[in-house]
């Protein structure tokens, strides 16, 4: 419920997580997958709980459906994006996937440093139901492939070939998602018009893989107009999904600049 509403009350969510852990044996595999995915969207560092949940989901993968397993694999990306943000706030560099002094240093982010096998197991279940994949699942798979190749290339290299084929086939489907609310769209037009008036040439709503880029200046500068959906409700804290998109764009070599809606309202 909190995840769907966008509220991020960390104390309440940690208490809820403790309840889930105590009652895990009473919950179905699908319910555990939903709890794990929902918790991962809330940008809370809770590795012991996540370790427990990933172990449980691995044990009970036979209970899971394609939607569950794709959600779990995608949730692992969200956790990694939050981990990367935490490391960056402490001055840990370089960014995964970006060479430093000509030598690529790619630290493996949590949870992929400990649970890469869980991600592969989840994708294996998804692969067995690939003929019934929904568009949201395909969007997640496209994002997973980008993440694997750019952020944890060692994990991608070790992945089975049939799973790489699954991700490659998902990449060919056009499912770019414009994730902005109506207020953001109005704000987008306002800022785009202002850029044009001052002579700042740009392209709007550029499709790139599973994403739409709000505005692109030249070849490497991306301007993201961050509407309410990019923040937890009543806060200035960016969502895990927003952090993930920023991480991937930066790893692709873009210089990303954010314009929060609060500053333009």
């Amino acid at each position: 419920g909190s995840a769907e509403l966008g509220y991020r009350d960390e104390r309440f969510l940690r208490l809820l997580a403790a309840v889930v852990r105590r009652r895990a044996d009473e919950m179905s595999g699908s319910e555990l997958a939903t709890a794990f995915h929902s918790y991962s969207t809330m940008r809370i560092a809770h590795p012991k709980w996540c370790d427990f949940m990933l172990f449980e989901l691995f044990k009970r993968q036979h209970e899971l459906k394609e939607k569950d397993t794709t959600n779990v694999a995608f949730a692992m990306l969200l956790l990694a994006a939050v981990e990367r943000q935490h490391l960056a706030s402490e001055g840990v560099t370089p960014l995964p996937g970006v060479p430093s002094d000509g030598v690529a240093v790619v630290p493996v982010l949590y949870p992929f440093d400990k649970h890469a096998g869980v991600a592969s197991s989840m994708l294996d279940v998804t692969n067995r139901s690939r003929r019934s994949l929904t568009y949201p699942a395909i969007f997640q798979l496209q994002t997973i492939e980008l993440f694997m190749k750019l952020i944890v290339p060692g994990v991608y290299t070790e992945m089975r070939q049939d799973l790489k084929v699954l991700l490659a086939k998902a990449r060919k489907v056009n499912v770019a998602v414009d994730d902005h609310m109506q207020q953001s769209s109005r704000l987008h037009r306002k800022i785009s018009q202002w850029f044009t008036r001052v002579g700042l040439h740009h392209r709007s709503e550029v499709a790139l893989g599973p994403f739409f880029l709000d505005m692109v200046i030249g070849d490497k500068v991306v301007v993201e107009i961050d509407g309410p959906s990019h923040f937890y409700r009543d806060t200035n804290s960016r969502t895990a999904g927003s952090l993930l998109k920023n991480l991937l764009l930066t790893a692709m070599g873009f210089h990303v600049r954010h314009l929060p809606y609060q500053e333009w309202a």
Side-chain angles (χ1 to χ4, degrees):
S2 293
E4 293 177 359
L5 294 172
Y7 284 107
R8 184 180 177 275
D9 183 333
E10 183 167 348
R11 182 175 179 274
F12 170 76
L13 290 167
R14 285 182 178 273
L15 290 172
L16 190 60
V19 172
V20 170
R21 180 166 184 168
R22 285 198 303 269
R23 298 186 176 179
D25 291 341
E26 304 170 23
M27 300 172 66
S28 68
S30 181
E31 288 171 336
L32 291 176
T34 298
F36 179 73
H37 178 264
S38 297
Y39 200 69
S40 73
T41 67
M42 301 310 292
R43 195 176 164 179
I44 297 174
H46 200 165
K48 289 185 178 180
W49 185 84
C50 292
D51 289 344
F52 169 81
M53 291 293 286
L54 286 168
F55 181 68
E56 282 295 310
L57 289 164
F58 180 77
K59 285 196 307 181
R60 298 167 63 174
Q61 59 187 278
H62 61 281
E63 299 178 26
L64 304 178
K65 297 181 179 180
E66 163 272 320
K67 179 181 178 181
D68 301 322
T69 54
T70 311
N71 275 338
V72 170
F74 187 78
M76 293 176 71
L77 271 60
L78 297 175
L79 293 176
V82 172
E83 171 74 2
R84 177 57 219 173
Q85 178 69 14
H86 173 70
L87 293 174
S89 69
E90 295 187 343
V92 179
T93 55
L95 180 70
V98 177
S100 175
D101 298 327
V103 179
V105 180
V106 188
V108 179
L109 295 170
Y110 180 84
F112 290 90
D113 57 342
K114 298 173 64 176
H115 301 289
V118 177
S120 293
S121 295
M122 296 298 110
L123 291 175
D124 186 42
V125 175
T126 298
N127 191 32
R128 294 199 292 268
S129 301
R130 60 187 178 274
R131 296 186 183 278
S132 59
L133 288 173
T134 63
Y135 279 107
I138 292 171
F139 166 80
Q140 289 177 319
L141 291 174
Q142 290 181 353
T143 309
I144 289 168
E145 184 188 40
L146 274 178
F147 180 93
M148 293 284 192
K149 287 183 173 181
L150 294 171
I151 310 301
V152 287
V155 175
Y156 180 79
T157 298
E158 296 298 320
M159 187 180 291
R160 290 202 328 253
Q161 184 60 30
D162 61 323
L163 301 183
K164 293 179 181 179
V165 170
L166 168 70
L167 298 177
K169 288 183 177 180
R171 188 197 328 136
K172 296 178 182 179
V173 181
N174 181 17
V175 293
V177 175
D178 183 358
D179 58 355
H180 294 296
M181 300 169 67
Q182 187 175 359
Q183 179 179 347
S184 253
S185 297
R186 294 196 300 268
L187 180 60
H188 185 169
R189 291 193 294 271
K190 176 181 177 181
I191 295 175
S192 179
Q193 290 167 1
W194 186 84
F195 275 19
T196 299
R197 283 200 297 269
V198 299
L200 192 56
H201 300 291
H202 62 280
R203 291 169 289 153
S204 290
E205 297 181 350
V206 177
L208 180 68
F211 304 121
F212 270 115
L213 310 183
D214 288 338
M215 293 190 287
V216 179
I217 302 172
D219 293 327
K220 289 297 182 180
V221 177
V222 172
V223 178
E224 285 287 282
I225 302 166
D226 294 339
S229 64
H230 286 259
F231 301 90
Y232 297 108
R233 186 165 296 186
D234 299 330
T235 76
N236 292 323
S237 181
R238 295 184 185 280
T239 65
S242 181
L243 294 181
L244 175 60
K245 183 178 180 181
N246 185 82
L247 174 63
L248 292 174
L249 292 178
T250 302
M252 294 170 72
F254 289 101
H255 301 285
V256 184
R257 298 293 179 264
H258 292 274
L259 298 179
Y261 79 100
Q262 300 97 323
E263 298 178 5
W264 288 80

